[in-house]
């Protein structure tokens, strides 16, 4: 899991901002709760949705930032135990889902970004496969993905796409699964997909799949964010390979969380990012 760090805009002009933070082409980006993202659909948990007469489902797939990210230890299974505060933001991708029928041989994914895979390695397709495996559905889908979130940037764009695909398949199948089911299943294909089924601000532990909604939220939903990204992407495995646990912060993640809740704004002292140093090495 890579990360993006929220910093006050005045500090973003300096060199203390993480290389995995994203620039959004001068568009205004705000912290968002999923209640805000679902205003156009009474039942949407992670998307704003609309269904046309042709049964095509049009969805917004948000991304996220990490207000802080602590790497606490390496696990016996090769993963790392993390403690991170995730915040969904009002920027992301657009997705369309059209049922093809159970007789179709495979899902069909198209994307406007040529470097994004459109085969079974894409997390959105993995999510559809997961839904079929869990529910017994045989439905296949045509998926149109209009990407804005860059690939390999640490903003969870692919994870948001996977969460959106799970939610879409469930909607189009008549909601055979509860949202809690989708959240639990999502951990099988990705560590941070589950955050997109939360309230918009979540304290995540384990590999990132253990999600606890945060109240009160540290940032109001109209907080402006400046996201900056260099031209090159950073593969998550490469970042973790450079990680030196001995040089990680010793800050208590719960203290960071409580500090941000009390301050109600981002702070460089509290926005600790253990992946920043290895990211800069790349």
């Amino acid at each position: 899991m890579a990360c993006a760090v929220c910093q006050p805009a005045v500090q973003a002009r300096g060199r203390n901002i993480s290389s995995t933070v994203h620039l959004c082409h001068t568009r205004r980006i705000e912290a968002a709760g999923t209640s805000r993202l679902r205003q156009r659909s009474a039942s949407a948990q992670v998307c704003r949705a609309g269904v046309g007469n042709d049964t095509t489902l049009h969805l917004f797939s948000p991304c996220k930032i990490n207000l802080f990210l602590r790497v606490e230890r390496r696990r016996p299974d090769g993963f790392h135990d993390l403690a991170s505060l995730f915040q969904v933001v009002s920027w992301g991708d657009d997705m369309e889902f059209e049922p093809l029928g159970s007789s179709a041989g495979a899902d069909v994914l198209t994307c406007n970004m040529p470097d994004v895979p459109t085969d079974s390695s894409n997390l959105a397709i993995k999510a559809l496969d997961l839904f079929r495996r869990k529910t017994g559905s045989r439905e296949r889908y045509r998926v149109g993905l209009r990407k804005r979130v860059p690939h390999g940037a640490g903003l969870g764009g692919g994870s948001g796409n996977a969460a959106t695909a799970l939610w879409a398949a469930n909607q189009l199948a008549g909601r055979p699964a509860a949202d809690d089911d989708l959240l639990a299943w999502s951990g099988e294909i990705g560590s941070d997909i589950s955050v997109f089924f939360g309230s918009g601000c979540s304290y995540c532990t384990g590999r990132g799949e253990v999600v606890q909604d945060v109240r009160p939220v540290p940032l109001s939903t109209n907080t402006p964010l400046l996201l900056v990204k260099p031209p090159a992407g950073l593969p998550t495995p490469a970042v973790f390979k450079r990680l030196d646990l001995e040089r990680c912060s010793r800050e208590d993640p719960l203290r960071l969380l409580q500090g941000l809740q009390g301050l109600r704004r981002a702070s460089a002292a509290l926005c600790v990012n253990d992946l920043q140093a290895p990211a800069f090495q790349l």
Side-chain angles (χ1 to χ4, degrees):
M1 181 193 304
C3 69
V5 177
C6 172
Q7 300 280 13
V10 64
Q11 294 185 11
R13 300 192 187 101
R15 298 184 60 84
N16 293 327
I17 194 166
S18 166
S19 63
T20 52
V21 179
H22 254 76
L23 177 66
C24 62
H25 308 296
T26 72
R27 292 182 56 184
R28 179 183 175 90
I29 307 298
E30 299 177 345
T34 49
S35 60
R36 188 167 180 267
L37 294 174
R38 68 180 176 222
Q39 287 178 351
R40 297 190 184 181
S41 173
S43 60
Q45 181 71 6
V46 296
C47 320
R48 66 173 185 261
V51 181
N53 294 330
D54 59 355
T55 71
T56 299
L57 189 60
H58 304 269
L59 303 172
F60 172 72
S61 178
C63 63
K64 57 83 181 173
I65 60 172
N66 296 68
L67 294 177
F68 65 77
L69 194 154
R70 284 288 337 282
V71 183
E72 298 192 287
R73 64 187 65 85
R74 184 178 175 87
R75 297 158 35 140
D77 61 6
F79 290 97
H80 291 78
D81 275 328
L82 310 175
S84 184
L85 184 61
F86 286 67
Q87 174 66 62
V88 174
V89 300
S90 59
W91 187 54
D93 306 325
D94 291 320
M95 303 183 74
E96 294 183 356
F97 296 84
E98 178 187 357
L100 295 177
S102 58
S103 61
D107 298 305
V108 178
L109 173 64
T110 59
C111 181
N112 63 312
M113 286 189 180
D115 61 335
V116 174
T118 56
D119 58 12
S120 60
S121 66
N122 189 288
L123 276 175
I125 300 299
K126 289 185 177 181
L128 296 176
D129 287 337
L130 175 67
F131 182 80
R132 285 186 286 264
R133 193 162 65 246
K134 293 295 187 179
T135 64
S137 171
R138 300 181 62 185
E139 185 66 70
R140 300 286 180 171
Y141 299 92
R142 186 187 311 278
V143 182
L145 173 58
R146 182 173 181 269
K147 291 290 290 181
R148 297 185 187 87
V149 181
H151 180 64
L155 290 176
S159 295
N161 296 163
T164 304
L166 265 179
W167 189 89
N170 194 47
Q171 283 291 110
L172 291 169
R175 298 184 60 82
D179 288 336
D180 286 345
D181 295 325
L182 302 181
L183 186 154
W185 298 345
S186 67
E188 297 185 19
I189 58 173
S191 297
D192 57 359
I193 299 172
S194 53
V195 69
F196 294 97
F197 292 101
S199 66
C201 184
S202 303
Y203 179 63
C204 301
T205 54
R207 293 183 291 116
E209 84 283 8
V210 182
V211 177
Q212 177 183 346
D213 285 341
V214 172
R215 292 285 188 274
V217 296
L219 300 181
S220 65
T221 56
N222 63 350
T223 300
L225 308 174
L226 178 63
L227 304 178
V228 180
K229 181 194 178 296
L234 297 177
T236 300
V239 175
F240 272 102
K241 188 174 182 179
R242 292 293 187 100
L243 178 69
D244 183 351
L245 287 171
E246 294 300 318
R247 296 187 178 183
C248 287
S249 170
R250 294 294 180 262
E251 291 284 356
D252 181 351
L254 290 177
R255 189 196 73 81
L256 298 176
L257 172 60
Q258 292 164 1
L260 286 169
Q261 287 179 305
L263 195 61
R264 298 304 304 274
R265 62 178 176 83
S267 160
L270 297 173
C271 291
V272 172
N273 178 2
D274 285 337
L275 294 183
Q276 178 170 305
F280 274 128
Q281 294 174 21
L282 296 173

